[in-house]
Amino acid sequence: MLATLVLTGLGITVVVVANDRLDFSEAAPSPSAAPVVTAEPTIAPDVPVTVLNGTDTAGLAATAADALTAAGIPVGATANASESDLTESVVYYATADLEGAARGVAQAIPGADVRLDAKFGEIGTPLVLVVGSAYAATVAG
């Protein structure tokens, strides 16, 4: 019985090696991860930004809109977001070609992150800034 198991194991090993499924050579180092390429921050004068207040702080969207306008970034509308307990500020862009414009908006808002989200394009707002409580704390001093 033991001899049968040894011969079976040896036979399987020979078949695997013969079919190049078992490689005893040193593993080649994997290539390092390529750096993530991001678009350079720009201003898209033909794409106004919708600014949403994601907090309970009254007038925060208007304050952010003023900061964008001062930076030369067009603002289309301000309103309250559907949630009022957001901490971080995020610039959402609907299509990859708007990444640079989204990064330009983020530069004008301290601590803002940038994320691709097609759903905003579906509702006709390709660039949306949602400000959170961290921004409220920054502008409050």
Side-chain angles (χ1 to χ4, degrees), residues 68 73 91 101-114 129:
L68 295 179
I73 299 168
V91 181
R103 292 193 180 283
V105 171
Q107 278 189 331
I109 303 298
D113 195 9
V114 175
L129 166 63

Side-chain angles (χ1 to χ4, degrees), residues 11-112:
I12 291 172
T13 303
V14 168
V15 170
V16 168
V17 169
N19 288 328
D20 287 331
R21 296 207 177 168
L22 188 60
D23 188 4
F24 293 106
S25 65
E26 267 189 49
S30 61
S32 61
V36 176
V37 178
T38 58
E40 289 295 318
T42 62
I43 294 175
D46 57 333
V47 183
V49 179
T50 299
V51 183
L52 302 177
N53 181 355
T55 72
D56 287 329
T57 304
L60 191 60
T63 301
D66 290 344
L68 295 179
T69 302
I73 299 168
V75 174
T78 60
N80 290 323
S82 59
E83 297 177 39
S84 62
D85 60 349
L86 303 176
T87 304
E88 66 178 335
S89 296
V90 179
V91 181
Y92 294 98
Y93 59 103
T95 57
D97 63 315
L98 290 173
E99 181 183 359
R103 292 193 180 283
V105 171
Q107 278 189 331
I109 303 298

